[in-house]
Amino acid sequence: MIEIGIVLGSTRPGRVGDQVARWVHERASRRTDARFTLIDLRDHPLPHLEQPPGFSGQYSDERTRAWAATVAACDGFVLVTPEYNHSVPGVLKNAMDVVHPEWNTKAAGFVSYGGVGGARSVEQLRLVCGALQLADVAPQVTLPLATEFADRATFAPGEHQLTALDTVLDHVVAWSTALAPLRRGDAEAAIRGRIDAMIDGLRSKDLEALRRSYAADVVSFDVEPPLQHVGVDAKLKNWAKVFTIFEEVDYELRDLTVAVSGDLAVGHGFGRVSGTLKNGVTTAGMWVRATFVFRDTGDGWVIGHDQASVPFDMATGRGLTDLEP
């Protein structure tokens, strides 16, 4: 199901935006075509001008990595924003600036409030969305302080605002859904790139390069004992054992299929380790069924689980190691 984040873009003491965000979330939660999560920027204290722009998707700051994971988990957004000095709140602009690819090919709608309903803030946010490859939907909700807030402090929207909000939600869900194939394509390309990097690491016998391909808590099932390797160090120890056998090692992967859903993905195909042994003998190795489970950590896709297996002959109970794809 499509995941929509409702981002509360003000962290000021005495803000009224929390009332607006709760109103949006309560209305949105009645829908059955998407899941909606309220994201309060107070819960994400981000660095400001402390690191390079996040165009690469690689973030050194733990706070930024956590925020990137939050943004990456969403398919679209409703930005709840005030207007400060005819412009966007600095904390919201910073939250949009510190990460980049996590926003791409998603949709965004706006619920704004302020002296003129926050309209000038939204006009500037639309420019930011364009740079972030966020599809900003045309309908918006504007909430003037003079008419939608009692004493300019207590949120009391007119009934007509519910119609406007429903229209925004309709468009955000529709566009987020329509863009989903593009996001899956981007994720699949990143995953295939990760597998290519893993294969390069195997061929160069570079354990540190391999480490970058695996989650720290990876669980791996192989065709040789033990039954499982738990943790990246155990996984690398197994590869190090392979490297002691081969003078030159190669790895071939055929018929790889990748399916992506949210921050998880599964890949399956046929893999084969081959090469030249320490004694100079060349071996073609054997084909195994290879399965990979990836997860998006916010720093990129890594392997959280992999498995190599072979069919077995039911009559003899022995594995069949001479089959080919």
Side-chain angles (χ1 to χ4, degrees):
M1 183 177 286
I2 293 294
E3 303 279 351
I4 306 297
I6 301 169
V7 181
L8 173 50
S10 171
T11 59
R12 276 186 176 179
R15 65 185 180 180
V16 296
D18 51 348
Q19 301 175 56
V20 178
R22 287 195 300 269
W23 173 72
V24 174
H25 186 247
E26 192 279 331
R27 185 67 172 184
S29 296
R30 300 180 183 185
R31 302 174 67 103
T32 59
D33 53 358
R35 282 190 292 262
F36 295 85
T37 301
L38 182 56
I39 301 171
D40 190 340
L41 291 184
R42 281 187 179 176
D43 298 328
H44 298 274
L46 292 165
H48 182 64
L49 302 178
E50 296 176 22
Q51 59 184 26
F55 301 124
S56 68
Q58 302 297 313
Y59 310 110
S60 58
D61 192 286
E62 181 179 350
R63 296 164 294 177
T64 305
R65 290 199 297 271
W67 174 241
T70 298
V71 175
C74 297
D75 299 293
F77 305 91
V78 176
L79 303 181
V80 178
T81 179
E83 179 181 310
Y84 293 160
N85 298 320
H86 291 208
S87 188
V88 182
V91 67
L92 177 57
K93 181 62 164 61
N94 185 56
M96 300 180 79
D97 287 344
V98 295
V99 300
H100 191 274
E102 291 78 10
W103 297 108
N104 297 170
T105 57
K106 299 178 181 180
F110 307 98
V111 176
S112 62
Y113 58 95
V116 291
R120 291 170 293 206
S121 177
V122 171
E123 286 304 301
Q124 296 189 30
L125 282 171
R126 291 189 185 279
L127 297 176
V128 178
C129 287
L132 292 174
Q133 300 177 47
L134 265 172
D136 55 304
V137 303
Q140 66 188 67
V141 178
T142 54
L143 303 167
L145 290 175
T147 61
E148 308 301 324
F149 294 82
D151 300 322
R152 304 175 69 88
T154 302
F155 186 45
E159 285 297 316
H160 65 285
Q161 296 290 4
L162 287 175
T163 301
L165 176 58
D166 288 340
T167 301
V168 169
L169 296 174
D170 288 343
H171 280 69
V172 170
V173 171
W175 276 92
S176 299
T177 303
L179 290 168
L182 292 179
R183 293 194 297 278
R184 286 194 293 270
D186 291 343
E188 181 174 341
I191 289 166
R192 290 181 180 272
R194 176 64 76 184
I195 290 177
D196 289 343
M198 180 193 72
I199 293 174
D200 288 342
L202 291 175
R203 289 171 175 166
S204 61
K205 298 197 283 190
D206 186 341
L207 290 175
E208 287 309 305
L210 289 173
R211 182 183 294 274
R212 292 192 289 272
S213 294
Y214 296 101
D217 57 351
V218 61
V219 176
S220 179
F221 295 160
D222 210 337
V223 293
E224 61 177 351
L227 287 175
Q228 65 179 9
H229 308 282
V230 180
V232 66
D233 290 334
K235 180 65 179 179
L236 296 181
K237 183 178 180 180
N238 189 51
W239 280 125
K241 179 181 176 182
V242 172
F243 296 159
T244 64
I245 300 172
F246 285 88
E247 184 67 30
E248 295 182 0
V249 64
D250 194 13
Y251 184 82
E252 183 180 358
L253 187 61
R254 289 190 189 174
D255 301 336
L256 176 65
T257 299
V258 177
V260 182
S261 178
D263 59 356
L264 293 176
V266 176
H268 59 84
F270 303 101
R272 176 174 66 172
V273 176
S274 60
T276 303
L277 303 177
K278 292 289 187 179
N279 60 10
V281 174
T282 299
T283 175
M286 67 177 184
W287 287 101
V288 300
R289 298 173 295 195
T291 302
F292 307 92
V293 178
F294 289 84
R295 69 172 181 260
D296 186 1
T297 64
D299 289 327
W301 292 89
V302 293
I303 300 171
H305 172 69
D306 67 3
Q307 178 170 334
S309 64
V310 295
F312 74 97
D313 183 276
M314 294 187 66
T316 64
R318 295 189 177 186
L320 303 177
T321 60
D322 58 350
L323 301 180
E324 294 190 8

